[in-house]
Amino acid sequence: MNKTLVIIPTYNEKENVAQMIEKVFSLSEEFFLLVIDDHSPDGTAEIVKGKQLKYPERLFLIEREGKLGLGTAYIRGFKWALDRDFDYICEMDCDFSHNPDDLLLLTHSAQSGNDVVVGSRYVKGVNVVNWPMSRLLLSYFASKYVRIVTGMPLNDATAGFVCYSRRALQTIDLDRIRMKGYGFQIEMKYSAWRLGLKIKEESIVFTERREGSSKMSGGIFGEALFGVIKLRFAKIRSRADRLKTHEKNLK
């Protein structure tokens, strides 16, 4: 039986985390959940620990020392999942902007043979609810920009609702992923595409967070936009190729 892990990074998500945990575990199929908390001062981690008493075999928590970046949280989660033999690994936000019901859509698509399944806001028009127009335009045209610069055939390169197969995360050289904010999302998809992995976009509806405050900033988008230019000319190697080269150099 396939095992699927959902990774959710958190920082000050006390309004949402308990509801999110309950929602994921109420789905019609079994999911495991790993929360990676960056030392939230609002007590998010303590709420998760309380829920662990109810779900001791399905809910896991990693506590980090501070805000170390979205990308580093996911990389740590990916490695944690690979060490524990999960077959599919999903990433999503805690604020309900990603509908947990769509986890079924993404995982079913991955199980049908896709290596990377992207919950896309823009594959069928624009499916975003309650965003200010300025933010919507910035996000939409950022993905257009990425597509033009890199040639990657994706409509939503910055999407943060993604399901990876185990094979995909074993193929991508996670130790060479450099960007930490939303650039991380682009770099992961670009690496997968360059390495010949099968990527599929599934249409979702993205809704602005219910509670709490957004973590978006100009710096996050700046890293993504300027990092894309460097990414276009980067040499993308699989983890296996890097290890072979390292072994060869040791001889």
Side-chain angles (χ1 to χ4, degrees):
M1 180 178 177
N2 291 325
K3 291 172 57 181
T4 303
L5 178 72
V6 181
I7 302 173
I8 300 181
T10 58
Y11 183 77
N12 286 350
E13 292 288 356
K14 68 177 183 179
E15 297 94 343
N16 298 305
V17 70
Q19 296 177 62
M20 177 59 72
I21 290 167
E22 293 294 340
K23 178 59 180 178
V24 170
F25 290 154
S26 74
L27 296 174
S28 59
E29 298 180 13
E30 183 178 68
F31 290 89
F32 296 82
L33 180 56
L34 171 64
V35 176
I36 302 178
D37 186 69
D38 275 4
H39 200 63
S40 297
D42 72 347
T44 297
E46 296 307 313
I47 296 173
V48 177
K49 290 174 184 176
K51 289 294 182 181
Q52 283 183 305
L53 299 176
K54 184 177 179 180
Y55 303 106
E57 296 183 356
R58 295 174 63 191
L59 178 60
F60 308 96
L61 172 67
I62 293 176
E63 295 182 84
R64 305 202 299 171
E65 294 301 316
K67 295 185 73 174
L68 303 176
L70 183 74
T72 62
Y74 278 130
I75 293 296
R76 182 163 180 185
F78 292 158
K79 291 180 177 180
W80 188 95
L82 291 175
D83 287 343
R84 288 159 180 80
D85 298 323
F86 283 95
D87 301 288
Y88 300 98
I89 299 93
C90 300
E91 55 173 56
M92 68 181 296
D93 293 342
C94 189
D95 58 13
F96 286 90
S97 55
H98 301 142
N99 185 346
D101 290 329
D102 287 330
L103 286 167
L104 298 170
L105 170 67
L106 269 59
T107 54
H108 289 171
S109 184
Q111 289 164 6
S112 71
N114 296 304
D115 295 300
V116 181
V117 183
V118 180
S120 177
R121 297 162 289 187
Y122 308 127
V123 71
K124 293 182 179 179
V126 177
N127 292 331
V128 178
V129 178
N130 293 336
W131 257 11
M133 185 57 68
S134 59
R135 185 173 174 187
L136 174 58
L137 291 173
L138 182 60
S139 171
Y140 180 78
F141 285 107
S143 283
K144 291 290 186 183
Y145 166 80
V146 172
R147 184 166 181 152
I148 292 170
V149 172
T150 66
M152 181 170 55
L154 285 182
N155 295 286
D156 196 355
T158 64
F161 196 11
V162 185
C163 182
Y164 293 93
S165 69
R166 179 178 184 83
R167 184 175 91 96
L169 295 182
Q170 288 177 323
T171 300
I172 297 169
D173 191 351
L174 299 176
D175 289 331
R176 292 180 65 85
I177 300 296
R178 294 289 178 253
M179 287 191 268
K180 295 182 179 181
Y182 278 80
F184 162 81
Q185 303 292 2
I186 300 169
E187 189 173 3
M188 284 291 295
K189 297 176 186 69
Y190 183 73
S191 297
W193 176 62
R194 285 283 302 273
L195 292 170
L197 294 168
K198 188 175 181 181
I199 306 178
K200 176 72 180 296
E201 288 186 277
E202 299 285 358
S203 182
I204 64 162
V205 175
F206 182 97
T207 305
E208 179 61 295
R209 65 166 46 241
R210 294 180 180 179
E211 303 287 347
S213 59
S214 173
K215 313 304 188 296
M216 182 64 66
S217 70
I220 287 174
F221 262 111
E223 179 206 44
L225 295 178
F226 291 111
V228 166
I229 298 174
K230 295 180 181 179
L231 196 60
R232 174 66 179 82
F233 300 100
K235 183 176 181 180
I236 307 296
R237 296 191 302 170
S238 69
R239 178 176 180 274
D241 286 342
R242 178 176 62 83
L243 292 177
K244 287 179 182 177
T245 300
H246 180 68
E247 290 174 1
K248 184 178 178 180
N249 290 337
L250 291 177
K251 293 180 179 179

